[in-house]
Amino acid sequence: MLDFRALLTTGWAAATAVRCPGGHPAEEPVTTAAIVLVRRGVFVRHVDGRATLADVTTGYLQRPGETQRISHPAGGDVCTSLTVPPDLADRFAGSGPVHVPPRADLIHRRLLVSPPADRPDLLAELLAALLPRSRALRRAHPVVESVRELLHTDPSADLSALAASAGWSPWHLSRSFHQVTGCTLSTYRRRLRVRAAVDELTAGDRAGLAVIAARTGFADQAHMTRAIRAETGSPPAALRRLLTRSPGNRAGAGRSGQEV
């Protein structure tokens, strides 16, 4: 069963935190326009015969009239659904997946733990940070999507192994991956690790930084600290203070934020 936590509802938009335990739910109709961002986990969205992967680096726009099915290659996920008006959805339409740069990821996490009075401004700031830039990236490619999925199940896979799994040369994979995602394979891999580490900073067990570094694939605490500072502009301890989680109520809901 999906769980949700309503973050805010304004006259023009809404935000809902959604937790999915995984599995392969049945198809569901989409009734509201929304930007869906992943905070933890990975899933594949199937719509109109196309499959696209959503993770902490890449979200998506859903629009009324679509019928979607979600599958999970590696367990459940935690995401945020940002309900938007039609004119704003039009600005995201046609640009492919919603790429989540480091600044937008940090605003997203702040939105989840901020006082209610601060959330409308943070939501507006987040949507502005997500808007497609003038230079459009190439649309998602099935081979690139499969490589992204493999990096979630085997984060240590090197370029040669990834290229072999794709049936492409390493050069062609590197070039195509950059064209589709807007970043290199090494940057993408680092972002997965950094965002997993940032998520662990606010986990309930309050693990030490060295433990988090080991859990998320960094060589040591210093390596993790350098990577997090380069990605977010702040060291782990400062992010832990900024992103301290506030308790919230939960109830059943659909992925798009609809109650079920």
Side-chain angles (χ1 to χ4, degrees), residues 1-210:
M1 179 180 179
L2 299 179
D3 291 337
F4 90 108
R5 175 167 58 100
L7 297 170
L8 80 155
T9 301
T10 70
W12 61 277
T16 306
V18 183
R19 182 183 299 271
C20 178
H24 299 269
E27 288 188 340
E28 61 176 6
V30 176
T31 60
T32 57
I35 306 295
V36 178
L37 305 178
V38 180
R39 182 164 62 84
R40 184 188 310 142
V42 56
F43 60 86
V44 180
R45 181 177 186 249
H46 307 264
V47 177
D48 298 331
R50 299 190 307 274
T52 54
L53 187 138
D55 64 10
V56 290
T57 72
T58 311
Y60 61 88
L61 168 70
Q62 63 177 35
R63 308 201 76 174
E66 296 176 334
T67 299
Q68 65 182 6
R69 180 174 61 83
I70 304 297
S71 60
H72 292 81
D77 69 86
V78 180
C79 63
T80 305
S81 175
L82 309 175
T83 304
V84 295
D87 60 328
L88 187 53
D90 288 342
R91 297 186 63 182
F92 283 92
S95 61
V98 178
H99 294 279
V100 185
R103 177 172 173 268
D105 181 68
L106 189 55
I107 299 169
H108 175 203
R109 294 174 189 278
R110 289 173 56 204
L111 174 67
L112 294 167
V113 299
S114 63
D118 295 341
R119 291 175 187 170
D121 287 343
L122 283 170
L123 176 57
E125 190 178 349
L126 174 56
L127 291 170
L130 292 169
L131 277 171
R133 301 298 179 247
S134 57
R135 187 182 70 83
L137 299 171
R138 281 178 49 183
R139 281 193 165 275
H141 190 287
V143 173
V144 173
E145 296 295 272
S146 70
V147 168
R148 292 176 58 213
E149 184 174 332
L150 180 58
L151 282 170
H152 281 273
T153 56
D154 184 9
S156 64
D158 61 15
L159 177 58
S160 296
L162 294 171
S165 75
W168 285 355
S169 70
W171 177 85
H172 186 53
L173 174 59
S174 293
R175 179 173 178 270
S176 298
F177 193 95
H178 196 179
Q179 289 176 332
V180 169
T181 66
C183 65
T184 64
L185 272 160
S186 59
T187 297
Y188 181 83
R189 193 194 307 270
R190 185 182 69 246
R191 285 185 176 169
L192 291 182
R193 287 174 175 162
V194 165
R195 296 184 190 185
V198 171
D199 197 52
E200 290 243 10
L201 289 173
T202 55
D205 62 2
R206 300 285 291 182
L209 297 183

